[in-house]
Structure formats: structure tokens, C-alpha cells
Amino acid sequence: MVAVRRATAPLLLAGALLLTGCSGDVPAAPAPVTTRTTSSPPPSSPPPLSPSVTPSPPVTPTPTPTAGKVVVLDPGHNGGNGAHPAEINRQVPAGRGQTKPCNTTGTATNAGYPEHAFTFDVAQRVGKALADKGIRVVYTRENDTGVGPCVDRRAAIGNEANADAVVSIHADGSEAAGANGFHVAYSSPALNAAQGAPSTRLAQTLRDTMRANGFSTANYIGTNGLSARADLAGLNLSTRPAALVECGNMRNATEAARMTSADGRRQFAAAIAAAIEAYLAS
């Protein structure tokens, strides 16, 4: 802060101006003073000092391109399916005039680690990563102990949520010798606009991002990591961009070890989440 000094007015005493000199000087005789009746205005206050720094206006955060988007995650199968065969074997619509069983038990590693547990764990990890970016996440099932839902209902959940992307998470169980690697399925031929370019682009983005994160494309199914399918109910019945990721072959010892470990599931989830974010931002 800068101090401001004001001039001190001369001191009037008994109508005479008192003068002081240096030490040893002889005071001069006082001169006559003429008294005026007009009064002087009080000294005006100095103008306020301007601050040296002008405060910056508040900064409004720029929303990310993915904030507010909706993603439906569909962890394949369910932990209670095996104990309810009548319920999961009943036929439901599967699109293209077909019917299929409501759901299945899924596969497992040779050591018995089930696909339904793997897909649920990975989906939860993917969902958390997306939610942390402001993306609204909807799951087709909320636990790993229930039954279903049926494949037609899973597709309906994505449609009802008006999802920007629907991603089903699975693992394969091929017994073919040496079968390994992931692949991404999409509906073909497309039955609506969402199953056309948007779903194809979602599938390609999943394939490219997983490959960039060190996962190898399947050597036993599909072409270059992509698989056009006309028999998957969840894809046939979707009116939103949708794709299904088969993360790898659970019957392959190397891939089974990766799927069984928590760190391996973290790697799968990180790649899938990054792919979904890239798709939503594009």
C-alpha cells in the first residue's frame, strides 16, 4: 500500500503568521495581516488508488467431448443361469425372424474360472473408468448371482437408454488347437442405420485400441479381428451402435492365465474403456 501525505496548513495565532528561522537568526518584526471573511473549502480527499493487478475473470471448465454420453455395458451370461435351465432355455426373439434360448451359462477356463465372473469383473472396471470421465453407464445386469436377463431384454436395455454405444463383453471357449486372440463382432448385414456405419466404426475402434494395447487378434475366427455376424440377438435387435467383444479364448492356457488374474482383467478393462472413449469423442 502507498502512503499519501497531505500538506499541513500554516498555523494562524491571534491574527498573526508565526515565522521560524534557523538557529541564531533574529526574528523580523511581524507584518500587519489583513483578515478576510471568506472561508477556505476543506481539503478534498485524494482519489482512491487503483489496484496494481486487475483480477482475472473466473475460468469455466471446458466439458470433455464424452461428458454426458450414455454407454450400456453388457457382461455376458450370469452366475445363476446354470441352476435355472428351464428359464434360460426358453425361446425368445433373436432378430431376422429367428428365436434363440433366453441365455446360456457361458464357457470357462480348463481350471473352472467361469466366463460370467470374468465378464462381470471386466464390465465393472470399464464402467468405473467411464463414469470417472462423466459418462453415464448402464449395466444389463447388476450382480453375478442372478439369472439372465434374456438376450432380447439385453438389447432392449440399450435401446431404452438411448445409448451412444452398447458394448457386450464376452470370452470364447474354442477347443481348436492353438486358438487364441480376441475378436469383435458386429451385426451384418445391417438392419437399421445404427447397425451400419456407427456399429462398424465402434467395432473397428475396439479392435484397433485393443491391438494397440498389446492384445492379439484371433487366429481362428473372423478377419483381422473383426467378425460380421447375423446370428447374435443382442446385435440384431439393437437400434443403437453396438458391438460384442470376445476378449480371448478361455481354453488357451496363456489367455486363461491373463483372464484369471486381477491385473489381466485390469488390462482388458483399460483397453475397452479407452476404445469406448475414443469412439464417443470421434
Side-chain angles (χ1 to χ4, degrees), residues 200 238 271:
T200 302
S238 181

Side-chain angles (χ1 to χ4, degrees), residues 12-104:
L12 295 177
L13 182 60
L17 177 63
L18 297 181
L19 301 177
T20 58
C22 297
S23 177
D25 291 340
V26 179
V33 177
T34 304
T35 304
R36 299 177 182 268
T37 57
T38 58
S39 59
S40 299
S44 59
S45 300
L49 296 175
S50 299
S52 58
V53 178
T54 303
S56 301
V59 178
T60 303
T62 303
T64 62
T66 58
K69 297 293 181 71
V70 179
V71 170
V72 170
L73 297 177
D74 176 32
H77 314 288
N78 207 333
N81 285 1
H84 295 81
E87 187 169 349
I88 67 168
N89 286 328
R90 67 183 179 88
Q91 297 293 299
V92 298
R96 304 182 195 272
Q98 307 171 68
T99 60
K100 294 188 79 170
C102 163
N103 210 243
T104 64

Side-chain angles (χ1 to χ4, degrees), residues 1 54 66 87 104 134 137 159 165 195 204 252 279:
M1 181 179 292
T54 303
T66 58
E87 187 169 349
T104 64
V137 178
N159 298 340
Q195 290 181 15
Q204 291 172 340
N252 176 278
Y279 171 78

Side-chain angles (χ1 to χ4, degrees), residues 167-171 182-185 206 210 243-248 272:
V167 176
S168 292
I169 300 172
H170 285 256
F182 78 91
H183 66 279
V184 184
L206 284 160
M210 290 190 69
L244 183 150
V245 184
E246 292 278 7
C247 293
I272 294 172

